[in-house]
Amino acid sequence: MTPIRKRVLSGIQPTAGSFHLGNYLGAVKNWVSMQDEHDAFYCVVDLHSLTVDPDPAELRTRTLSSIAQLLALGLDPETCTLFIQSHVAAHNQLAWVMECMTGFGEASRMTQFKDKSQKSGADRTVVGLFTYPILMAADILLYQSNYVPVGEDQRQHVELTRDLAQRFNSKYGQTFVIPEPFIMKAGAKIYDLQDPTSKMSKSTASLGGVIDLLDAPEINLKKIKSAVTDTEREVKFDEKNKAGISNLLTIHSSLSGSSIADLENEFAGKGYGDFKAAVAEVVIEYLRPVRERTQQLLTDPSHLQRILKTGAEKAAAVADATLAKTYESIGLVPRG
Ligand code: TRP
């Protein structure tokens, strides 16, 4: 008898034309390694990205490019279920039910909402940003997910999801699996090359600090060579005093598989220039096939469409069953 595999769900926003190294090492790499042992559902959360008012043509391109990159990075549509969030209508439908069970104060306490809305001001903050975590809860609960691989910054949203699931179950009877956050390891946290104390992120001012997966090798090289380091000469892991070098060590180690200690030995007595050149080479060689495969996938839209259609059908089968059960529990009359 085959053991029942635990269910996993995660989502990533199509906010840029290319994912960056932080997205890959902090999230997608785990997705790839979890797909074999779990019943994994992964989605590109295009509906979530509407909160930042994207240009329509860009949203379309970015969503397809995100799917192509996820495939190029190793997600196998035969092994996991890969789909676009908006292809499964149940996400919005369950989100409404969950919105009606979430306290206004409870939603107001989400730190990501507070940070983002404070930055742009109340008049320029859309309601979708406020309900964003509730749509995320629907994403998770529809699939009866056991684990939700996310970064530390999403922990509070998964906690809210757990609270909502427990509230629903105790009011209407067992309906949802209570999901657990599967927080990615600290070692996988990649920092901005220009400001190695903040996370690598598209929203930082310096794009020079972000390594895009689809960037040309020359650009990767230039960015890594101009990474901010310190005035010492020693290649040593010390996050507090040598944030830049530590970040480059993490990047090298995560992509090459060499341990940090081995790298420290290898570069003992050598200057930062040599070390940076080695990091650049590892990054460039790792990303070359990813970029080529992504470009190749994007030249065949009908192949991508077929993968997405199958993914959406598999996802909808699970999601629609959960939604039907939910609607019934709360007293909505079935259409019959
Ligand atoms: N909010 C998540 C992020 O920004 C993306 C996301 C949306 C997600 N729905 C999800 C992550 C469901 C995990 C599960 O990273």
Side-chain angles (χ1 to χ4, degrees), residues 5-19:
R5 293 181 304 162
K6 296 274 189 194
R7 190 62 69 68
V8 162
L9 175 125
S10 197
I12 192 161
Q13 288 202 48
T15 42
S18 172
F19 290 135

Side-chain angles (χ1 to χ4, degrees), residues 203-251:
S203 48
T204 52
S206 76
L207 281 184
V210 176
I211 299 182
D212 279 329
L213 302 190
L214 301 181
D215 268 350
E218 311 82 75
I219 300 188
N220 289 328
L221 182 67
K222 200 168 144 212
K223 286 178 177 172
I224 293 167
K225 286 219 158 150
S226 36
V228 169
T229 52
D230 52 70
T231 53
E232 294 174 15
R233 306 209 40 191
E234 217 186 340
V235 177
K236 203 172 137 252
F237 193 88
D238 175 353
E239 278 194 301
K240 207 156 155 240
N241 302 307
K242 298 167 80 71
I245 289 294
S246 304
N247 188 36
L248 292 174
L249 276 166
T250 306
I251 291 173

Side-chain angles (χ1 to χ4, degrees), residues 72-318:
L73 288 165
L75 288 189
D76 176 0
E78 305 280 319
T79 308
C80 68
T81 303
L82 176 64
F83 65 104
I84 293 178
Q85 183 190 31
S86 66
H87 289 183
V88 181
H91 290 246
N92 303 68
Q93 294 168 301
L94 184 65
W96 175 253
V97 174
M98 290 296 153
E99 279 171 39
C100 294
M101 299 193 61
T102 310
F104 193 84
E106 191 175 31
S108 310
R109 283 193 292 277
M110 295 294 115
T111 54
Q112 198 168 63
F113 169 73
K114 286 199 282 188
D115 291 348
K116 291 193 177 173
S117 58
Q118 248 158 36
K119 271 188 205 145
S120 28
D123 284 342
R124 298 214 299 163
T125 299
V126 295
V127 174
L129 198 63
F130 185 63
T131 56
Y132 177 114
I134 308 172
L135 178 59
M136 177 166 163
D139 298 341
I140 297 167
L141 298 177
L142 277 175
Y143 298 92
Q144 308 289 1
S145 322
N146 302 101
Y147 302 119
V148 186
V150 281
E152 182 60 43
D153 64 331
Q154 297 296 313
R155 186 192 286 277
Q156 198 188 24
H157 292 162
V158 182
E159 291 301 332
L160 173 71
T161 305
R162 289 169 59 86
D163 290 345
L164 293 174
Q166 266 149 359
R167 192 172 305 159
F168 191 101
N169 287 351
S170 60
K171 195 161 173 202
Y172 301 105
Q174 179 58 39
T175 307
F176 298 113
V177 167
I178 311 297
E180 276 175 48
F182 184 93
I183 305 291
M184 266 87 87
K185 287 180 236 73
K189 192 157 175 193
I190 304 300
Y191 297 87
D192 189 294
L193 300 181
Q194 289 299 317
D195 172 13
T197 54
S198 36
K199 193 174 125 170
M200 186 176 282
S201 153
K202 289 276 173 172
S203 48
T204 52
S206 76
L207 281 184
V210 176
I211 299 182
D212 279 329
L213 302 190
L214 301 181
D215 268 350
E218 311 82 75
I219 300 188
N220 289 328
L221 182 67
K222 200 168 144 212
K223 286 178 177 172
I224 293 167
K225 286 219 158 150
S226 36
V228 169
T229 52
D230 52 70
T231 53
E232 294 174 15
R233 306 209 40 191
E234 217 186 340
V235 177
K236 203 172 137 252
F237 193 88
D238 175 353
E239 278 194 301
K240 207 156 155 240
N241 302 307
K242 298 167 80 71
I245 289 294
S246 304
N247 188 36
L248 292 174
L249 276 166
T250 306
I251 291 173
H252 188 311
S253 166
S254 318
L255 297 179
S256 68
S258 309
S259 72
I260 302 263
D262 283 350
L263 292 173
E264 287 173 341
N265 286 334
E266 186 182 337
F267 291 96
K270 299 197 182 134
Y272 287 176
D274 283 358
F275 175 56
K276 282 181 170 178
V279 175
E281 187 175 328
V282 166
V283 169
I284 288 167
E285 291 317 316
Y286 196 92
L287 295 184
R288 188 187 305 282
V290 174
R291 193 180 61 246
E292 288 172 0
R293 176 106 183 97
T294 303
Q295 283 162 353
Q296 190 199 340
L297 283 160
L298 288 171
T299 60
D300 189 354
S302 59
H303 173 66
L304 279 184
Q305 287 299 346
R306 274 197 302 279
I307 292 176
L308 290 171
K309 185 162 185 269
T310 311
E313 281 165 1
K314 272 159 61 185
V318 177

